[in-house]
Amino acid sequence: MRVVLPPQVPWRWFHRAILLTIFTLLLLYLSAQRLRTQESRPLGPKSPPDALSAPPRLSPGALSGCRSGAQSCIPEGPPPFQVRQHSGPLETPEREEPQCLGPQGMLGRMMRLFRASVNPERDVELSQYVAGWRELVRFLTPLGSIFAFATSEAFIKVTALEARVHGPDAAHYTSLAAMLAWERRAGLLERPGIAPRDPAKSSGSRTMLLLHRALHWSQLCLHRVATGTLGGPDAGVQCSDAYNMALAPHHPWLIRQAARLAFLAFPGRGRLLELACPGTREAEARAALARAAGTLEDVCNRTQALLAERGLLQLA
């Protein structure tokens, strides 16, 4: 939908009005949440020395979780993430690999960590997984307000899961399969669909499920930005559609409305590609982003299979 403004209304004021509306809605939602949780103070673990400065904390359900009592964000059954079967990999001219995929590029660092998390035993190494998520947060945050909105909550969950990976029970948190088995034996799993009153006390399995859903949305969005056709829907429309499919049905009304407004100010595809892979031609940036999305898809498929095998897709 294209917004047409009267000649006397500058576009920059309309853009600022959108952002002001978004943050007003978020503040109202946060105020309501604080009234419900003011008696419990989260015991969030300290971030490691090299961690990012934590973004502003959002509500316990923001973009990486579901409401209490909601159905699973991803249905039981075979892994649904089969994006690549709908469109083949993008090809680039024969030339040197772009810097964004190299050792110093954010896409490259993120991809290597997530690839390392998928081990040959059909498991997911948690230390590599949380490190990959930290790089994904660094990559997504500058891309626009809606990504900052999503990654701020993901950051909190990554930090909580990382505390378990490096905590006193670290021997049970080496991999996803080990964590799921340990927390079931120890009676640490929540009742399906029942969110703990204090989010800081969520089980590692529940935290992982919420991160898995957020990763699914990120993967869908990046893939669509990379493979969208000329003259087709722009990046904002495609990422909004990905949000509606992956997360919106499981969010409170206020969060859905805030996200809908944020997508109106979403940067165009060209700008996103420039931020994702600076200094390259569009075809190369698209190919690099498609490769990154493919790596995220592999991790999502592996995580989905492990959670489904153990009947934990309804945990949150």
Side-chain angles (χ1 to χ4, degrees), residues 15-32:
H15 184 271
R16 290 174 183 174
I18 289 176
L19 296 179
L20 180 60
T21 303
I22 292 170
F23 286 113
T24 300
L25 289 171
L26 290 177
L27 286 174
L28 289 173
Y29 182 74
L30 288 172
S31 298

Side-chain angles (χ1 to χ4, degrees), residues 85-261:
Q85 70 182 3
H86 299 298
S87 58
L90 297 176
E91 299 293 335
T92 57
E94 291 293 333
R95 58 182 298 174
E96 186 178 354
E97 186 172 76
Q99 290 186 354
C100 63
L101 294 179
Q104 303 305 317
M106 283 191 292
L107 278 182
R109 294 197 303 268
M110 178 197 73
M111 290 169 62
R112 279 185 288 279
L113 289 167
F114 273 122
R115 281 195 195 118
S117 73
V118 182
N119 69 26
E121 287 74 33
R122 296 185 63 252
D123 204 350
V124 176
E125 299 293 337
L126 291 182
S127 61
Q128 300 293 334
Y129 181 86
V130 296
W133 248 112
R134 286 194 176 276
E135 289 299 329
L136 180 59
V137 168
R138 287 187 177 96
F139 169 68
L140 292 179
T141 300
L143 299 187
S145 58
I146 188 64
F147 284 115
F149 180 28
T151 55
S152 60
E153 179 67 12
F155 180 94
I156 296 169
K157 289 177 169 46
V158 168
T159 302
L161 185 58
E162 191 172 49
R164 295 179 181 274
V165 172
H166 300 293
D169 295 319
H172 304 293
Y173 290 90
T174 56
S175 73
L176 178 56
M179 176 180 70
L180 299 178
W182 155 253
E183 291 194 336
R184 188 185 293 277
R185 291 196 307 269
L188 299 177
L189 300 180
E190 295 85 357
R191 294 175 56 191
I194 304 299
R197 182 170 181 174
D198 183 355
K201 297 180 181 178
S202 292
S203 67
S205 300
R206 187 177 190 276
T207 301
M208 183 73 179
L209 175 58
L210 301 181
L211 284 173
H212 167 55
R213 292 167 181 166
L215 193 66
H216 179 208
W217 174 67
S218 300
Q219 179 264 319
L220 286 175
C221 181
L222 295 182
H223 177 85
R224 294 181 182 192
V225 170
T227 60
T229 58
L230 294 176
D234 202 4
V237 174
Q238 292 184 314
C239 288
S240 178
D241 288 343
Y243 169 78
N244 290 336
M245 181 178 72
L247 291 174
H250 314 285
H251 285 163
W253 178 87
L254 191 58
I255 293 295
R256 295 198 305 270
Q257 299 311 305
R260 183 177 64 83
L261 290 172

Side-chain angles (χ1 to χ4, degrees), residues 31-109:
S31 298
Q33 289 297 314
R34 287 190 183 118
L35 289 176
R36 296 172 52 192
T37 59
Q38 60 184 353
E39 294 181 357
S40 62
R41 183 179 181 182
L43 302 176
K46 294 182 179 179
S47 299
D50 61 344
L52 295 172
S53 297
R57 182 167 186 168
L58 299 180
S59 67
L63 286 183
S64 58
C66 298
R67 293 171 294 175
S68 175
Q71 295 297 316
S72 172
C73 291
I74 305 172
E76 296 276 357
F81 313 118
Q82 301 298 333
V83 176
R84 284 188 296 239
Q85 70 182 3
H86 299 298
S87 58
L90 297 176
E91 299 293 335
T92 57
E94 291 293 333
R95 58 182 298 174
E96 186 178 354
E97 186 172 76
Q99 290 186 354
C100 63
L101 294 179
Q104 303 305 317
M106 283 191 292
L107 278 182
R109 294 197 303 268

